[in-house]
Amino acid sequence: MSNAPSRRPRLLAAGAATVTVVLWASAFVSIRSAGEAYSPGALALGRLLSGALTLGVICLLRREGLPPRSAWRGIALSGLLWFGFYMVVLNWGEQQVDAGTAALVVNIGPILIALLGARLLGDALPPRLVAGMAVSFAGAVTVGLSMSGEGGSSLFGVVLCLLAAVAYAGGVVAQKPVLGRASALQATTWGCVVGAVVCLPFAGELVREAADAPASATLNMVYLGVFPTALAFTAWAYALARTTAGRMGATTYAVPALVVLLSWLTLGEVPGPLTLAGGALCLAGVAVSRSRRRATEPAPERDGAPATGAARGREDAREQA
């Protein structure tokens, strides 16, 4: 009974991470479907406008005020990289490769998050993490080579997905310190607004394409804004505030398997054997990077509350050394 109160925050964070993974997996398939009627920039803008409107209504209902001034720099950077640039480049990349391959390549992002977290947030960077990164990089190269057989456009699509992974990692690392000053809802809402502003140059394309797009494509775009953006990004921020960036990033490695399943069920797309082998290498690299040497005594649990950067670094160093 005494452990019940301390377990509740961890269970809520795990539940939020699960919601994020499932909704982000569905996003890869919806992007592929809506991308048949909408160009990359228009789709990103429509998604962000839908998400910002949904989040704005929630903020009004919850009477959330503006984030503190100290949080705006990180919100602006994460909005630019993650909500803006990432979504446009990912949409573009998914027009060149299948949804499963896009998810596999983008999910080298957690390795980049670990690198940036070590450099900028003071998180640990043990030798096992370095070895895991090398294996995952080999997997990303394998995926790229497997897609280059049909011509340069496929290889170009993999490059776009790699750029999306870099933007994703930068956005997460920029968002992490913000969550010590602003709520998950504030960080997500205003990051989404910043992303929408960045994508405003695509407003003309959005208006023209919406007039001709089938209802199913427009509904997919709205779905992307309400669920994989408004709900999933808020759930992500809630969970991220209660653990390290590296640990949270590792949870997204469940996404490729879900994407392959959803792609097969809804789009009839399954990556080829070499692509799957590259994805397996990516996952194997993460397994190496996340492995821990057994300690003689268990470390005290501190995941129930938001952690500070220095404390996270010391904790990871003990657990992963």
Side-chain angles (χ1 to χ4, degrees):
M1 295 293 292
S2 60
N3 291 332
S6 62
R7 290 181 60 189
R8 179 178 171 81
R10 284 185 289 135
L11 291 175
L12 288 174
T18 301
V19 168
T20 300
V21 166
V22 173
L23 290 179
W24 281 358
S26 72
F28 282 93
V29 178
S30 291
I31 289 170
R32 181 72 168 175
S33 179
E36 296 178 359
Y38 287 97
S39 59
L43 178 57
L45 178 58
R47 173 181 179 176
L48 290 167
L49 290 175
S50 300
L53 179 61
T54 303
L55 290 165
V57 171
I58 296 173
C59 282
L60 289 176
L61 293 175
R62 290 179 55 87
R63 297 182 179 179
E64 288 268 355
L66 292 173
R69 183 179 300 178
S70 59
W72 277 104
R73 181 178 179 182
I75 289 174
L77 187 56
S78 65
L80 172 64
L81 290 176
W82 199 6
F83 290 85
F85 182 79
Y86 166 82
M87 291 192 182
V88 174
V89 175
L90 179 62
N91 294 344
W92 196 0
E94 280 219 43
Q95 291 183 354
Q96 311 295 322
V97 299
D98 64 89
T101 300
L104 290 171
V105 176
V106 169
N107 270 277
I108 69 163
I111 299 297
L112 302 178
I113 290 172
L115 277 174
L116 291 174
R119 181 68 177 87
L120 302 176
L121 302 179
D123 291 342
L125 188 62
R128 296 186 187 193
L129 181 56
V130 176
M133 290 190 320
V135 175
S136 290
F137 178 75
V141 171
T142 302
V143 172
L145 292 176
S146 72
M147 294 301 297
S148 64
E150 298 177 2
S153 61
S154 294
L155 182 58
F156 179 60
V158 173
V159 172
L160 289 171
C161 291
L162 287 172
L163 289 175
V166 173
Y168 156 51
V172 170
V173 173
Q175 187 187 62
K176 176 60 181 176
V178 170
L179 297 171
R181 307 179 182 96
S183 69
L185 182 57
Q186 288 174 327
T188 306
T189 300
W190 292 102
C192 190
V193 170
V194 170
V197 171
V198 170
C199 292
L200 280 178
F202 301 108
E205 293 180 19
L206 176 60
V207 172
R208 289 192 300 270
E209 292 169 7
D212 299 326
S216 60
T218 302
L219 288 175
N220 263 308
M221 182 175 65
V222 173
Y223 169 82
L224 285 167
V226 175
F227 292 98
T229 302
L231 179 56
F233 274 77
T234 302
W236 164 277
Y238 175 87
L240 180 61
R242 287 156 178 80
T243 187
T244 65
R247 286 181 180 175
M248 190 60 192
T251 65
T252 63
Y253 278 101
V255 170
L258 292 174
V259 169
V260 169
L261 176 62
L262 291 172
S263 298
W264 174 62
L265 292 175
T266 62
L267 302 177
E269 295 179 348
V270 178
L274 190 57
T275 302
L276 291 175
L281 279 176
C282 289
L283 297 180
V286 175
V288 173
S289 67
R290 298 299 298 166
S291 63
R292 299 172 182 173
R293 188 176 60 188
R294 288 187 178 181
T296 56
E297 296 182 5
E301 291 286 350
R302 285 199 295 256
D303 286 349
T308 62
R312 288 193 308 274
R314 290 193 297 270
E315 181 180 346
D316 284 348
R318 285 195 299 270
E319 292 180 347
Q320 298 182 6

